[in-house]
Each structure stands twice: as C-alpha cells, then as structure tokens.
C-alpha cells in the first residue's frame, strides 16, 4: 500500500504573506505543493500564473503539483516546466488531443496527470490510462475552494482503481475538493493515494497538526 500523499492547495493560502505559508508547508509532513491555475474560461474564476509559481518555487522544498484549469493547456507546457512544475495535470475536458499533450508533458521532463470533472466517467480514460502518472478526480466542480464534497466520488475512485489494475497502469489516484479529516480514510479505502486539501488545512488554525493527522490516516 502506497503512503498517503498530502498536497495542500495554495488557493486557500494567505496571498498577502505567501512566504509564511510556504515555510509552514516546508516544515510540515505534507508531500507536495498543490497550485491551482485558473483562466476564467475553463472555469469561472481566475487565480494566478507564472510569476506566482516562480516565486513559490524559489522557496518550496517539495515538488510542485500544478493543476491546470485552463483551455488549450498544450500551449504552455514549456512555460510551466520553466516556472518549476514537477507534476503537470491537465483537464480531460480541456484537451482535444490528450495523448499528444501527455507526451509533451513527459518529454518536457514532468510527471503527467489528467483530471476529470465530476460529470466525466472514468471509462473515458481507458485508452490513455497506461500513459499516465496520475489521475486527479475532482470531488467538487473546479473553480473555487471551500465547496461541498460530492459523495459519488467514492464509487468513481473504485472504478478508476479497477481500470488502473486491468490496464496494468502505474497511475496513482489523487482527489481534490472538499477533502478533510473526516473523508480521507474512506477515500483511501476506495483507492486514492494523494489528497489535495485547501480550506480544511489553511483555515484549520493549526496547519502543522492537521497535516500530520491527515498524513497518519
Ligand atoms: C478547486 C481546486 C482545489 C481547491 C480545493 O477548483 O482545484 O484544489 O483549492 O479547495 P478545498 O480543499 O477547499 O475544497
Ligand atoms: Zn486543484
């Protein structure tokens, strides 16, 4: 059984004092930095771009797990690599030529992930799963932090786990949206390995403590 990977989402960090939150996550038991890139087109919100990723990269001591909620992500793969991304995840719904985009990401030297919106069935990954390092299951509709977890996620993760086994893929399952201390253990049982959490970590009052509790589940 793979260890639990915790990837705090900086969307809920304090943007007026990012360095403070970067230092806390460096000190914590978290594994990755989850950075949400939104373009106001694929999702109805705009977050931040390359200058902020580069600023975070300067101080982050853990891999950058970059989640692209943008149209035409294939146009910016080298820029995300240059900004410091280690894992680059694109949305299935945003890619007309997903296979080609995944190959670009890998040839740029990053791990390649695909994210599915809540309405997209895992069976759509049947012919690409073998090429993926990671699948990011959205357990909310992407665009905002602090939304309510969608319960159908558990069965979706179970189906994905079966697909990964059937196709002999090495992809790991990451889940994003409404993840907290209460649902991690059930998500883990369903087959998820990596957990993105924004509001439940940064609004907790004790970031180090909640991360170590999440990590030990
Ligand atoms: C939502 C983002 C998430 C978000 C999660 O579109 O992909 O990473 O920050 O926030 P919480 O954990 O608060 O639901
Ligand atoms: Zn995300």
């Amino acid at each position: 059984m793979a260890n639990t990977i915790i990837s705090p989402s900086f969307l809920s960090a304090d943007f007026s004092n990012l360095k403070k939150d970067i230092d806390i996550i460096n000190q914590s038991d978290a594994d990755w930095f989850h950075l949400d890139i939104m373009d106001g087109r694929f999702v109805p919100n705009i977050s931040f771009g390359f200058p902020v990723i580069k600023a975070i990269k300067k101080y982050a001591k853990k891999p950058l797990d970059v989640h692209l909620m943008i149209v035409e992500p294939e146009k910016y793969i080298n820029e995300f690599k240059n900004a410091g991304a280690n894992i680059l995840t694109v949305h299935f719904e945003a890619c007309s030529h997903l296979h080609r985009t995944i190959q670009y990401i890998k040839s740029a030297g990053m791990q390649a992930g695909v994210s599915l919106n809540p309405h997209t069935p895992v069976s759509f990954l049947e012919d690409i799963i073998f090429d993926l390092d990671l699948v990011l299951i959205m357990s909310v509709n992407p665009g905002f932090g602090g939304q309510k977890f969608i319960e159908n996620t558990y069965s979706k993760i179970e189906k994905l786990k079966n697909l990964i086994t059937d196709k002999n893929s090495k992809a790991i399952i990451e889940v994003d949206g409404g993840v907290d201390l209460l649902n991690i253990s059930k998500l883990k049982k369903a087959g998820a390995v990596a957990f993105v959490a924004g509001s439940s970590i940064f609004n907790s009052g004790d970031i180090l403590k909640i991360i170590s509790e999440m990590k030990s589940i």
Side-chain angles (χ1 to χ4, degrees), residues 130-141:
F130 188 79
D131 297 284
L132 303 181
D133 297 302
L134 179 148
V135 178
L136 178 60
I137 295 289
M138 290 309 300
S139 39
V140 297
N141 285 292

Side-chain angles (χ1 to χ4, degrees), residues 9 11-12 34 36 38 67 69 138 140-147 176-179 196-200:
S9 166
L11 199 58
S12 292
H34 186 83
D36 290 295
M38 303 178 181
H67 176 193
M69 285 159 276
M138 290 309 300
V140 297
N141 285 292
F144 304 92
Q147 301 182 82
D176 184 2
V179 173
V196 178
S199 50
S200 65

Side-chain angles (χ1 to χ4, degrees), residues 14-141:
D14 179 358
F15 282 86
S16 66
N17 197 352
L18 263 183
K19 177 70 165 56
K20 179 186 74 150
D21 283 342
I22 295 167
D23 288 340
I24 293 174
I25 300 307
N26 279 337
Q27 279 170 43
S28 76
D29 293 333
D31 300 274
W32 298 341
F33 283 51
H34 186 83
L35 305 184
D36 290 295
I37 312 304
M38 303 178 181
D39 64 354
R41 293 183 64 206
F42 181 69
V43 288
N45 195 8
I46 296 176
S47 58
F48 53 85
F50 302 117
V52 176
I53 302 175
K54 284 180 184 161
I56 294 174
K57 185 69 177 180
K58 216 164 130 186
Y59 298 106
K61 296 191 174 123
K62 302 176 182 192
L64 301 190
D65 167 32
V66 177
H67 176 193
L68 300 185
M69 285 159 276
I70 66 174
V71 298
E72 301 178 311
E74 64 281 356
K75 286 187 177 170
Y76 306 100
I77 288 168
N78 287 330
E79 274 109 320
F80 282 109
K81 170 69 183 173
N82 294 338
N86 300 91
I87 304 158
L88 196 65
T89 296
V90 295
H91 264 264
F92 175 86
E93 303 83 4
C95 298
S96 312
H97 302 283
L98 184 60
H99 183 273
R100 182 186 289 150
T101 301
I102 293 303
Q103 307 315 319
Y104 277 164
I105 295 172
K106 289 176 154 184
S107 63
M110 295 175 284
Q111 305 237 66
V114 169
S115 184
L116 299 182
N117 274 340
H119 72 278
T120 305
V122 299
S123 58
F124 283 10
L125 295 179
E126 203 179 302
D127 293 309
I128 191 76
I129 193 74
F130 188 79
D131 297 284
L132 303 181
D133 297 302
L134 179 148
V135 178
L136 178 60
I137 295 289
M138 290 309 300
S139 39
V140 297
N141 285 292

